Amino acid sequence: MLALRRRIQIAISVVKQGSKALGDMKLLLLFPLIPFIFLAGYFVIWLYGALWIYSVKNEVSVATPNDVQYTSLSIRTSHPENSVDLETDEQWQYYFLFHLFHLLWLCSFCIYFNFLTSAGATADWYFSRWDEKGNKIRGKGDDELPSSPILQSCKRTCRYHLGTIALCSLIIAIVQMIRIMVEYLEKQSKQSGNKIQKALFCVVRCCLKCLECCLDKVNKNALIWTAIYGNNFAVAACSSFQLLWSNMGRVAAIN
């Protein structure tokens, strides 16, 4: 605490500025409801499509068991040798993987869209001028806070940065999809009871979870950089990482 006292003071100042920003832009607390409502509506459509994909079956002829209880006398006397069974279509199961991947991608997209829009509005607030009474000057100038900073940030995000959000969410969705596949393979191999195999699966899942957390942190820092400077994902990720690496003490105190 004593060694990081200056960095802690900076962290306290950052928290104060964040509180002032929320005080001036109270809609920041309600804006996440908009992506959530969109995502909830999409999930209903996605679930409807998933049920259709899962319901695709193939008719397969199988031998009729001798102990089948027949309800009809005519069927009982004839006793057909083969009957029709329904099996899940494997090809459509692969289609379901693409369906699931699209859900993961869109969920991450909505989360990052909300994050970049909030970061853009906060950046507009932070870099705008104060008046003599300690309030932000609102207007259309470059150093003035817009009358609707959240709406302006949302428009700017939709016009310039959807590709950056799509790339960030794609990276996370790929890692999440790999995690789901690993967990599926682990459940399929639980019958073997191999202790070494279980330990290896545990290590792989732990590494994938750590990778997802690190990539999520890199993506969010890159989106903050994009919200301030407007750079693309590659430049923003490298620049933000370099900035954080050179200020590890301050970042740790703020976190």
Side-chain angles (χ1 to χ4, degrees), residues 229-253:
Y229 297 104
N231 297 124
N232 56 35
F233 175 74
V235 175
C238 296
S239 301
S240 61
F241 183 80
Q242 183 180 2
L243 179 63
L244 294 178
W245 186 260
S246 58
N247 296 275
M248 291 296 292
R250 296 182 178 89
V251 174

Side-chain angles (χ1 to χ4, degrees), residues 31 34 113 116-118 120-121 124 148-160 162:
F31 178 76
I34 298 176
F113 178 84
L116 181 55
T117 302
S118 301
D124 287 341
S148 301
I150 302 176
L151 181 60
Q152 293 296 326
S153 178
C154 185
K155 290 181 179 179
R156 190 165 57 246
T157 301
C158 293
R159 183 175 181 180
Y160 299 108
L162 289 182

Side-chain angles (χ1 to χ4, degrees), residues 81-100:
E81 296 181 356
N82 296 326
S83 58
V84 176
D85 193 10
L86 297 178
E87 291 184 354
T88 304
D89 194 324
E90 294 184 357
Q91 184 177 1
W92 280 87
Q93 286 183 338
Y94 293 118
Y95 293 157
F96 180 76
L97 293 178
F98 291 100
H99 195 60
L100 177 60

Side-chain angles (χ1 to χ4, degrees), residues 180-202 204-205:
I180 292 176
M181 296 174 66
V182 169
E183 292 179 1
Y184 175 78
L185 293 176
E186 183 180 8
K187 290 182 179 180
Q188 294 296 321
S189 61
K190 275 187 175 180
Q191 299 178 357
S192 61
N194 191 338
K195 301 296 182 181
I196 298 179
Q197 190 177 26
K198 291 182 179 180
L200 290 177
F201 273 115
C202 184
V204 172
R205 286 191 290 109

Side-chain angles (χ1 to χ4, degrees), residues 67-187:
D67 56 350
V68 172
Q69 299 294 329
Y70 295 100
T71 58
S72 174
L73 179 62
S74 60
I75 298 179
R76 188 186 303 119
T77 55
S78 61
H79 193 279
E81 296 181 356
N82 296 326
S83 58
V84 176
D85 193 10
L86 297 178
E87 291 184 354
T88 304
D89 194 324
E90 294 184 357
Q91 184 177 1
W92 280 87
Q93 286 183 338
Y94 293 118
Y95 293 157
F96 180 76
L97 293 178
F98 291 100
H99 195 60
L100 177 60
F101 179 76
H102 192 271
L103 176 65
L104 299 175
W105 193 356
L106 190 64
C107 287
S108 299
F109 186 91
C110 291
I111 292 174
Y112 287 145
F113 178 84
N114 173 53
F115 188 85
L116 181 55
T117 302
S118 301
T122 307
D124 287 341
W125 179 90
Y126 183 80
F127 291 104
S128 59
R129 292 186 294 116
W130 299 86
D131 59 11
E132 297 178 354
K133 297 181 180 180
N135 299 321
K136 289 292 185 178
I137 300 176
R138 293 182 177 268
K140 297 182 179 180
D142 294 336
D143 56 351
E144 297 176 347
L145 183 64
S147 58
S148 301
I150 302 176
L151 181 60
Q152 293 296 326
S153 178
C154 185
K155 290 181 179 179
R156 190 165 57 246
T157 301
C158 293
R159 183 175 181 180
Y160 299 108
H161 304 309
L162 289 182
T164 300
I165 299 175
L167 182 56
C168 293
S169 56
L170 175 63
I171 295 173
I172 297 298
I174 291 175
V175 178
Q176 291 176 344
M177 193 67 188
I178 295 175
R179 287 184 58 198
I180 292 176
M181 296 174 66
V182 169
E183 292 179 1
Y184 175 78
L185 293 176
E186 183 180 8
K187 290 182 179 180

Side-chain angles (χ1 to χ4, degrees), residues 212-229:
E212 181 182 348
C213 292
C214 294
L215 290 176
D216 180 67
K217 189 69 175 178
V218 171
N219 288 342
K220 288 182 176 179
N221 291 324
L223 291 177
I224 294 174
W225 187 280
T226 299
I228 298 174
Y229 297 104

